[in-house]
Amino acid sequence: MKYYSTNGKAPVATLEKAVVKGLAEDKGLYMPERIKPLPKEFFEKCDKMTFQEVACSVADCFFGEDVETEALHRIVCDTLAFDCPVVKVTDSIYSLELFHGPTLAFKDVGARFMARLLQYFLRKEGNGDDVNVLVATSGDTGSAVANGFLGVEGIHVYVLYPKGKVSPIQECQFTTLGRNITALEVDGVFDDCQALVKSAFMDEELNAHMRLTSANSINVARFLPQAFYYFWAYAQMKRLGKADSLVCCVPSGNFGNICAALFGHRMGLPIKRFIAANNANDIFFRFLQSGEYHPKASVQTLANAMDVGDPSNFARIWDLYGRSHKNITALISGATYKDEDIARIMRECYDETGYTLDPHGACGYQALKDGLQKGETGFFCETAHPAKFKEKVDAILSCNVAIPERLQAFMRGEKQSVEMSKDFADFKRYLMMQ
Ligand SMILES: *Cc1c(COP(=O)(O)O)cnc(C)c1O
């Protein structure tokens, strides 16, 4: 399979190049040239399959031309070492719980898959040099990437994060790992971390010294595998006899997660329509209403992993639907919620159903509650475990959210980090010694 750039000015790339490079030369996002549909029989029998079997069938369509079947299926099964169950919240609303992975958020799926696919390509190349992944984080991406790559031979990860600006629960998920993960505590803000990473990729001397790559969320190996759990959600809803008029709602920030669902739809996944739920960062919501896309600076909200003012994957959605506002609005609608709405929704859902939402899932739940029509059944992505936002959730619900054991284990670990100034010369000197 070849991958083209959404900007149309870069040469087509192999899967390997798209995975190693992340972004195309013209700064566009890679798209597969073809999206293969799954056969009708698959949808007839998927309710009798396991999550791993469902995901392997989907993976064959995306990656089957470029990765040997046995290796691909091993990558899929290693990635999905945990379930993504659908859980009933009300008669017509179900939660697709994507927080059962190591760092309690959906990004685990993409990060784990990418780590293993990258390792596959490195081994095939037979080039003995280690690859170094540089990732800047304001919290959640660092933990998913670090844990996704933990123990993957031949790859070393450097996580750069702003000192004192990451919550203790987030910090422990990438500073206590050791092994092939190094946490760099930068005396600055997130943008400084990002700038250090960008400078490193552009520095010739450094690139001659070591192989560098990014694990950015726009990477095809991170975003496409997210389609796996939408097919699994369908299979589970079919098993419940609830799959006939299904609506899928995704709390969205950079729009990678919903984009994977839309690829699934293109492959034949029988979902009737989609809802993109936004927080106060409503750029996509406004696009749906007006047909005009106006990025703007993001504002901080309770659902901070969705604080994105210029969602990268809009380019993929725009491309997928032939650059037509009409095609997009025929399938996708939107919703937007302010912080006071989010807090109220969390309380109402807890009181009425007993279900504890995190601030991101809250947007998804309410968008279904507001948007479901008669006869429809909806599921929303519960994108993170509420314990990841414990202080906020406890305060809003006047409760004491239990911290899952795997998160407690991180919190018991010993913090190891390297302190770093925000000066690129220091960062480069450090990397040159590695
Ligand atoms: C990253 C993230 C989102 C947003 O997902 P996108 O793919 O960027 O739209 C939503 N919720 C949580 C908890 C996240 O970590």
Side-chain angles (χ1 to χ4, degrees), residues 16 40 84 170 179 219 238 246 250 260 264 310 347 349 364 388 418 420:
E16 176 170 357
K40 218 171 109 233
C84 297
Q170 288 176 320
R179 298 168 73 181
N219 198 294
K238 186 169 156 69
L246 207 49
V250 187
D310 185 5
R347 275 191 296 268
C349 179
K388 280 199 101 165
V418 177
M420 186 72 46

Side-chain angles (χ1 to χ4, degrees), residues 105-107 140 251-257 305-306 358 360 383-384 389:
F106 79 91
K107 291 187 177 73
D140 271 0
S252 296
N254 229 349
F255 281 70
N257 201 7
M306 288 155 49
D358 95 291
H360 306 81
T383 48
F389 310 94

Side-chain angles (χ1 to χ4, degrees), residues 186-200:
V186 176
D187 194 6
V189 296
F190 169 68
D191 295 328
D192 297 316
C193 300
Q194 184 108 308
L196 288 176
V197 169
K198 282 194 178 152
S199 304

Side-chain angles (χ1 to χ4, degrees), residues 18-62:
V19 172
V20 173
K21 291 213 55 110
L23 204 63
E25 290 90 337
D26 61 1
K27 304 258 162 35
L29 275 62
Y30 283 118
M31 290 281 278
E33 277 192 330
R34 275 169 301 115
I35 300 174
K36 290 188 205 161
L38 275 152
K40 218 171 109 233
E41 304 84 70
F42 168 83
F43 295 104
E44 279 161 10
K45 65 171 190 214
C46 66
D47 55 335
K48 296 178 190 72
M49 296 164 75
T50 65
F51 185 15
Q52 280 78 11
E53 287 165 351
V54 167
C56 285
S57 305
V58 179
D60 288 340
C61 293
F62 287 143

Side-chain angles (χ1 to χ4, degrees), residues 75-92:
I75 292 171
V76 171
C77 293
D78 284 353
T79 298
L80 303 177
F82 48 88
D83 196 14
C84 297
V86 293
V87 172
K88 183 173 171 172
V89 181
T90 72
D91 280 343
S92 56

Side-chain angles (χ1 to χ4, degrees), residues 59-78:
D60 288 340
C61 293
F62 287 143
F63 307 116
E65 292 177 17
D66 303 297
V67 184
E68 288 110 43
T69 306
E70 202 188 316
L72 180 58
H73 289 187
R74 190 161 2 95
I75 292 171
V76 171
C77 293
D78 284 353

Side-chain angles (χ1 to χ4, degrees), residues 104-107 140-141 144 217 222-223 226 229-230 250-260 277-278 303-308 311-313 358-361 381-385 388-389:
L104 301 93
F106 79 91
K107 291 187 177 73
D140 271 0
T141 303
S217 70
R222 273 191 64 189
F223 110 89
Q226 295 170 163
Y229 46 70
Y230 291 102
V250 187
S252 296
N254 229 349
F255 281 70
N257 201 7
I258 195 169
C259 198
N278 282 162
N304 59 15
M306 288 155 49
D307 294 348
V308 180
S312 317
N313 286 289
D358 95 291
H360 306 81
C381 294
E382 181 44 299
T383 48
H385 193 290
K388 280 199 101 165
F389 310 94

